[in-house]
Amino acid sequence: MAISCNKQEFLLRPVFHARESTTAFLPPLSLSLKLPPQSHSKVRRVVKMSATEVTSSRISYESFAIKPPEHPTYDLKGIIKLALEEDAGDRGDVTCLATIPFDMEVEAYFLAKEDGIIAGIALAEMIFHEVDPSLKVEWSKNDGDFVHKGLQFGRVHGRAHNIVVAERVVLNFMQRMSGTATLTKAMANAAYPAYMLETRKTAPGLRLVDKWAVLIGGGRNHRMGLFDMVMIKDNHISAAGGVADALKAVDLYLEQNNLQMEVEVETRTLEEVEEVLHYSSQTKTSLTRIMLDNMVVPLPNGDVDISMLKEAVQLINGRYETEVFTTKFA
């Protein structure tokens, strides 16, 4: 889809799944964490460390190549603990307890099993640190870098038992995030100079992680939740009695509550676009962005009809940011 636009005012927000009840999850990027075979005659034993020798339990986001998005209540460390606890249950790793000497020390390496954008490195460090702060983790790549199949891009050294306990949780997060980042990167490159945004249709409990992966892949975050942006959609418009009435109600609410935040309104027809523009020309409004909902029409021959979309963009004529939202290619 090619549209002539100013990149400061035009955004794309496709969804990666349909609105129906079934959800197509993004394919994860295949990664592995390998422990080389150990000879008992060459096993290194861990030297016990005093509490003063263990590194600080606090990890600063400032050290991350790409910082996670902000959220006022999201507990990323709590999500890590929950993931580890659901894996360990009430007994811990019984296989490790049976087969791996508790004081065995090893070095394991991360291996990319396919090409893609790596994501979740910073989160992996947090997980290893939560399991065992004495583990030493090194990387040859940063979040957002390209990795090719067969590349060893990181390693972790320390107590074998703790590395294996952390392994699956680390890989589950990294593979999911890397798959999202890889697809986001491809779509963002194709959409340039428009920006690529995501939706709130994330896995429950993993919203910040999913949206972080979009940032790593070169996309941008839409609203984090219901609290940080006004987004007037079809149900709000229907309940308010029309798009202009919904905008008027939002403007009044923000004024009465002394709130300043972005306001986006969904439009589905050219008539609704004209109604929004007429309202904003007559009234002081907090409106910042107009969404053009499903105005790209697929044709039987596989091409697309963008005539309605182009006309809507021309009507708006740079007065507001314009956002394209489509589910018709999911």
Side-chain angles (χ1 to χ4, degrees), residues 71 200 207 211 222-229:
H71 191 290
R200 281 171 49 245
R207 178 167 300 174
K211 285 179 172 282
H222 202 260
R223 59 177 179 162
M224 284 299 298
L226 301 173
F227 59 90
D228 58 335
M229 177 183 184

Side-chain angles (χ1 to χ4, degrees), residues 67-140:
K67 299 177 183 62
E70 294 183 0
H71 191 290
T73 61
Y74 194 92
D75 181 7
L76 186 55
K77 191 171 183 179
I79 293 297
I80 291 171
K81 287 183 175 181
L82 180 63
L84 291 168
E85 287 169 359
E86 74 176 358
D87 218 18
D90 60 350
R91 292 181 181 272
D93 187 339
V94 292
T95 312
C96 275
L97 292 170
T99 62
I100 301 178
F102 188 72
D103 59 352
M104 177 186 290
E105 189 179 71
V106 298
E107 183 173 278
Y109 60 88
F110 284 89
L111 179 69
K113 299 173 75 173
E114 57 184 311
D115 296 350
I117 301 298
I118 197 67
I121 283 176
L123 184 58
E125 287 195 20
M126 295 177 69
I127 296 167
F128 282 125
H129 196 272
E130 182 67 30
V131 172
D132 181 355
S134 71
L135 294 176
K136 296 178 176 63
V137 188
E138 298 177 359
W139 308 96
S140 60

Side-chain angles (χ1 to χ4, degrees), residues 245-289:
D245 290 325
L247 274 169
K248 183 177 179 180
V250 165
D251 286 332
L252 181 62
Y253 174 84
L254 294 178
E255 182 181 0
Q256 290 177 340
N257 291 274
N258 196 27
L259 293 174
Q260 290 185 337
M261 61 179 60
E262 291 186 345
V263 175
E264 178 172 348
V265 63
E266 173 185 290
T267 59
R268 295 158 291 180
T269 65
L270 294 176
E271 290 73 22
E272 286 188 338
V273 173
E274 291 173 337
E275 187 176 352
V276 168
L277 294 174
H278 177 73
Y279 170 83
S280 64
S281 69
Q282 303 294 316
T283 310
K284 182 181 178 181
T285 178
S286 297
L287 180 65
T288 55
R289 184 185 301 170

Side-chain angles (χ1 to χ4, degrees), residues 107-321:
E107 183 173 278
Y109 60 88
F110 284 89
L111 179 69
K113 299 173 75 173
E114 57 184 311
D115 296 350
I117 301 298
I118 197 67
I121 283 176
L123 184 58
E125 287 195 20
M126 295 177 69
I127 296 167
F128 282 125
H129 196 272
E130 182 67 30
V131 172
D132 181 355
S134 71
L135 294 176
K136 296 178 176 63
V137 188
E138 298 177 359
W139 308 96
S140 60
K141 295 290 184 178
N142 291 316
D143 279 325
D145 287 346
F146 177 81
V147 294
H148 61 78
K149 182 179 179 179
L151 177 70
Q152 292 185 26
F153 61 90
R155 59 184 180 177
V156 56
H157 172 85
R159 187 175 280 122
H161 185 278
N162 291 338
I163 291 173
V164 175
V165 165
E167 172 198 9
R168 176 45 50 195
V169 173
V170 166
L171 290 177
N172 281 351
F173 277 116
M174 289 190 72
Q175 290 184 147
R176 178 184 180 86
M177 292 179 71
S178 297
T180 301
T182 299
L183 183 55
T184 300
K185 184 68 172 179
M187 298 180 74
N189 287 346
Y192 183 83
Y195 300 131
M196 187 64 62
L197 304 172
E198 87 292 71
T199 73
R200 281 171 49 245
K201 298 176 183 178
T202 51
L206 294 180
R207 178 167 300 174
L208 187 139
V209 173
D210 285 348
K211 285 179 172 282
W212 191 2
V214 168
L215 290 180
I216 292 170
R220 295 196 178 189
N221 290 148
H222 202 260
R223 59 177 179 162
M224 284 299 298
L226 301 173
F227 59 90
D228 58 335
M229 177 183 184
V230 174
M231 188 167 177
I232 307 168
K233 302 182 73 174
D234 52 356
N235 286 336
H236 308 112
I237 292 169
S238 297
V243 65
D245 290 325
L247 274 169
K248 183 177 179 180
V250 165
D251 286 332
L252 181 62
Y253 174 84
L254 294 178
E255 182 181 0
Q256 290 177 340
N257 291 274
N258 196 27
L259 293 174
Q260 290 185 337
M261 61 179 60
E262 291 186 345
V263 175
E264 178 172 348
V265 63
E266 173 185 290
T267 59
R268 295 158 291 180
T269 65
L270 294 176
E271 290 73 22
E272 286 188 338
V273 173
E274 291 173 337
E275 187 176 352
V276 168
L277 294 174
H278 177 73
Y279 170 83
S280 64
S281 69
Q282 303 294 316
T283 310
K284 182 181 178 181
T285 178
S286 297
L287 180 65
T288 55
R289 184 185 301 170
I290 300 175
M291 183 208 294
L292 309 175
D293 185 31
N294 281 318
M295 292 190 184
V296 178
V297 182
L299 300 175
N301 63 0
D303 205 348
V304 291
D305 179 1
I306 62 170
S307 58
M308 185 191 305
L309 181 62
K310 289 181 69 174
E311 188 173 347
V313 172
Q314 290 167 357
L315 283 171
I316 296 167
N317 194 29
R319 283 174 279 183
Y320 296 99
E321 284 187 332

